[in-house]
Amino acid sequence: MIHNFVNEKNLERINNGDSFILKPETIAKRMKIVYAVLEDNVAFEIFNSPVSENGLAAVLQSHGYSLPYRELRDLIQSMLDMLLEDLRKELTTASNICIIFDGTPSICEVFAVMFRYTILLNGKYELRQKLGSLRFYNKSFNSDNLAAVIVELLLKKFNLKMDQIKHVICDGAYVNTKAVNNLRIIYPKLGHLICLSHSTNIIGLKLSSCLEIAMKLESKWCNMINTSPTACYCFKKYSNKSALTSSETRWYSWFEVINQIFENFEHVEKVIFENEEFASNLRKDMKELFKTNELKQQLLIELALCVDIGSHLV
């Protein structure tokens, strides 16, 4: 997209007396690119002010480009206004409107609001979901801040009335729940749905906290896989599978590791016991979990329990 914006060659322009103007097909190409980007729900605010530090100009400049044509800026703004107006009109006739919001709980807060709704087309209801706002802030929000931003969006930007918003969907953080209660001052019939993915993740974390031996093995095993290519090679040689590892930013990745350990328990034992050439301290810690038959049986029970319950949650 950036390449098409700023790198038209003179061959794509025509002489217009003392100056050159873009060929009609070049203008059409630009309009097609801009419309496609905006229609695909790229955040409105990113394009809303090309001269701001969060605007398109700044994005381009960060890649070493610039916006040399004023008409291009006008084009982006005019198409943005058109798409915003289209969304406003669509929401006025929509039913069952829900809003979904979420933000990053840290400095440089990113806060997103989406609309999910149904519209009647040709006698049939169609479900749609579109991004309404994606904003960047230099501080984290409290519940009052969250409610104020959402109210501004709903009332000022999209003019949504009291009876049009049916539900709010978000995770179950305390600050979100309190913000929804604040929203009910203006939208008294507002329903509140807690994100099912967040809820099941909380259940999974509580489950993992009860599986002390299995989770200790998972932690030591992942540490070894992440730091020892030899361990990865040995597991691959025994099981003909690549060893999985968990990630703090991906829910239930620990379950995938537990599942693989359970399904390949004999191969995992071989990696831990039959090779003394790598990760000696980690393997020593893991060997303690197999020290007695009772510990080994407890480990197998915890692994099996995790697989049986975790598969439903995932």
Side-chain angles (χ1 to χ4, degrees), residues 60-267:
L60 289 170
Q61 288 167 9
S62 69
H63 289 81
Y65 298 103
S66 63
L67 279 178
Y69 309 113
R70 183 173 179 180
E71 64 270 20
L72 180 58
R73 299 186 183 190
D74 294 339
L75 171 65
I76 293 172
Q77 187 60 53
S78 62
M79 297 186 92
L80 170 62
D81 292 340
M82 178 184 67
L83 286 169
L84 280 171
E85 186 59 32
D86 288 346
L87 181 55
R88 287 190 194 97
K89 290 179 180 178
E90 196 166 272
L91 288 174
T92 59
T93 60
S95 56
N96 301 315
I97 300 176
C98 298
I99 61 171
I100 305 169
F101 72 83
D102 200 5
T104 54
S106 60
I107 294 198
C108 295
E109 178 90 2
V110 180
F111 184 67
V113 179
M114 300 191 73
F115 293 105
R116 186 176 178 89
Y117 54 92
T118 55
I119 58 172
L120 187 62
L121 290 176
N122 300 321
K124 295 182 178 180
Y125 282 102
E126 180 178 313
L127 180 65
R128 293 189 175 181
Q129 184 168 295
K130 291 190 176 182
L131 181 65
S133 177
L134 182 67
R135 295 184 179 180
F136 299 83
Y137 299 88
N138 60 6
K139 63 179 181 179
S140 296
F141 283 163
N142 58 33
S143 57
D144 294 334
N145 299 142
L146 281 177
V149 169
I150 296 172
V151 166
E152 180 188 8
L153 180 75
L154 299 181
L155 292 180
K156 185 177 179 181
K157 196 167 187 176
F158 291 100
N159 196 29
L160 293 170
K161 303 298 188 293
M162 181 184 299
D163 58 344
Q164 288 182 274
I165 307 295
K166 302 299 183 184
H167 288 89
V168 171
I169 303 173
C170 59
D171 65 47
Y174 174 76
V175 66
N176 291 344
T177 301
K178 193 172 179 181
V180 173
N181 290 334
N182 291 343
L183 288 173
R184 288 192 174 119
I185 297 173
I186 299 175
Y187 299 94
K189 296 182 179 181
L190 193 65
H192 183 201
L193 300 178
I194 304 240
C195 173
L196 181 60
S197 295
H198 284 81
S199 300
T200 56
N201 181 57
I202 292 171
I203 295 171
L205 292 175
K206 290 184 177 180
L207 168 65
S208 66
S209 67
C210 299
L211 307 174
E212 182 179 352
I213 302 175
M215 294 309 298
K216 184 179 291 186
L217 176 62
E218 185 269 344
S219 176
K220 300 292 183 181
W221 176 262
C222 287
N223 195 353
M224 182 177 69
I225 294 300
N226 285 329
T227 57
S228 174
T230 306
C232 296
Y233 169 78
C234 289
F235 181 77
K236 177 83 171 180
K237 182 178 69 173
Y238 295 141
S239 66
N240 201 28
K241 297 177 182 178
S242 296
L244 300 176
T245 185
S246 60
S247 168
E248 292 184 1
T249 59
R250 190 162 61 86
W251 292 347
Y252 284 113
S253 59
W254 59 267
F255 167 77
E256 295 171 352
V257 177
I258 291 283
N259 193 55
Q260 187 179 63
I261 290 174
F262 183 71
E263 291 179 348
N264 300 273
F265 193 75
E266 291 182 2
H267 305 312

Side-chain angles (χ1 to χ4, degrees), residues 12-14 21-31:
E12 298 183 11
R13 306 181 189 183
I14 56 178
I21 62 174
L22 294 176
K23 289 182 178 180
E25 54 265 34
T26 302
I27 296 174
K29 180 180 68 173
R30 284 182 164 189
M31 292 182 67

